[in-house]
Amino acid sequence: MLARAWDECEIGVNASANFWSLIPVFFAVWVVVALIWSIVFGVLGGRNLLLAAGVAVLPTLCVYWVLMATLNAPADYPVGVSACSPDNVPPWWPDWLPV
């Protein structure tokens, strides 16, 4: 979603360069989320799997929200697409995600 927003608003060099800059972020987030799920299922998994899954989803959503808040399209980047002006946000971007 972030790569698509960057590409649509012409943030960065091109779609390929943006993809390669987001790969390390993807793996770091994957490790963090995997650790969260491992810890939650280690603590709660023996008691109730549904409760463990529900509890693990909340920090996963928080990690996703923080990722979008920190890696969003920078407002100081020159706006090259009129649909993304004034703050480099594409029209389809959800209102509940910070920019």
Side-chain angles (χ1 to χ4, degrees):
M1 187 168 136
L2 186 60
R4 182 175 161 220
W6 284 5
D7 187 41
E8 190 169 319
C9 292
E10 296 178 358
I11 304 293
V13 180
N14 58 28
S16 177
N18 291 342
F19 170 77
W20 288 108
S21 66
L22 288 175
I23 289 291
V25 174
F26 168 76
F27 284 117
V29 168
W30 183 82
V31 168
V32 169
V33 170
L35 286 173
I36 290 170
W37 280 73
S38 297
I39 291 169
V40 169
F41 271 84
V43 172
L44 298 174
R47 297 184 189 122
N48 187 345
L49 289 177
L50 189 59
L51 175 67
V55 169
V57 165
L58 293 175
T60 302
L61 292 175
C62 290
V63 167
Y64 178 67
W65 191 83
V66 168
L67 174 73
M68 291 297 150
T70 57
L71 290 179
N72 59 3
D76 58 345
Y77 196 87
V79 178
V81 178
S82 61
C84 296
S85 61
D87 52 0
N88 287 326
V89 179
W92 51 264
W93 192 264
D95 292 333
W96 57 270
L97 279 176
V99 288

